[in-house]
Amino acid sequence: MIRAVASLVFMFGFLAQGMAQTTPLITTKEAELPPAAGKLATRGISRGPAVKVVSPEPSSTVKSPFNLKVNFEGRGGEKVDAGSVKVTYLKSPFVDLTPRLQSAITSSGIDLQQAEVPPGEHTLRVTVKDSAGRESNSTLTIVVNK
């Protein structure tokens, strides 16, 4: 009897480890906020770090949870300052998502597995600086199906 119980406990623990944990990136309450007012201003050429969205692919729709992957590349030999990364949900008022992503941010980018986001269209702004203080901003829109 004890052996059978021990086997069940082991199997449950093994199965629980195999299950992917989701990370809430945007809450339903935040998604219901009104869109940010005004036009989204973007700049032209920047010498700041490059920000490249890898996943989800631009102009695609995804199901939640999904993997969020953004790569950073320093320019001119400068290194990316991981401590400068800020991710903002463009709602009114703005929602700072950086604390939720902190464990997924490195100097090479953001790699968040199993991001949980409610259905809808969500626009995020990623801001990053390099070791010389040069800043880059990039926006990404994520469309999540129901």
Side-chain angles (χ1 to χ4, degrees):
M1 177 72 171
I2 293 175
R3 181 180 253 167
V5 170
S7 294
L8 285 173
V9 168
F10 175 77
M11 281 180 40
F12 178 75
F14 183 74
L15 289 172
Q17 283 181 337
M19 291 181 190
Q21 264 190 327
T22 61
T23 304
L25 180 60
I26 297 171
T27 67
T28 303
K29 187 175 180 179
E30 291 164 342
E32 292 171 350
L33 290 170
K39 290 187 176 187
L40 185 60
T42 57
R43 297 189 314 180
I45 298 172
S46 168
R47 294 190 58 200
V51 179
K52 297 180 181 181
V53 179
V54 177
S55 173
E57 291 183 28
S59 303
S60 67
T61 56
V62 296
K63 281 189 166 186
S64 186
F66 60 90
N67 296 335
L68 176 65
K69 184 163 177 65
V70 179
N71 288 342
F72 304 142
E73 295 175 11
R75 295 187 176 141
E78 298 295 337
K79 300 207 181 291
V80 173
D81 177 7
S84 73
V85 175
K86 185 170 183 175
V87 181
T88 307
Y89 187 28
L90 299 180
K91 288 291 193 167
S92 183
F94 289 158
V95 179
D96 183 6
L97 302 177
T98 310
R100 298 175 205 172
L101 291 163
Q102 205 63 52
S103 64
I105 297 173
T106 66
S107 61
S108 61
I110 301 169
D111 190 1
L112 180 66
Q113 302 296 309
Q114 301 296 304
E116 188 72 40
V117 175
E121 187 172 302
H122 310 281
T123 303
L124 309 179
R125 180 178 56 213
V126 179
T127 304
V128 62
K129 292 181 183 178
D130 64 17
S131 53
R134 297 181 297 210
E135 181 178 286
S136 291
N137 292 289
S138 183
T139 58
L140 64 129
T141 299
I142 302 167
V143 180
V144 180
N145 282 338
K146 292 183 181 181

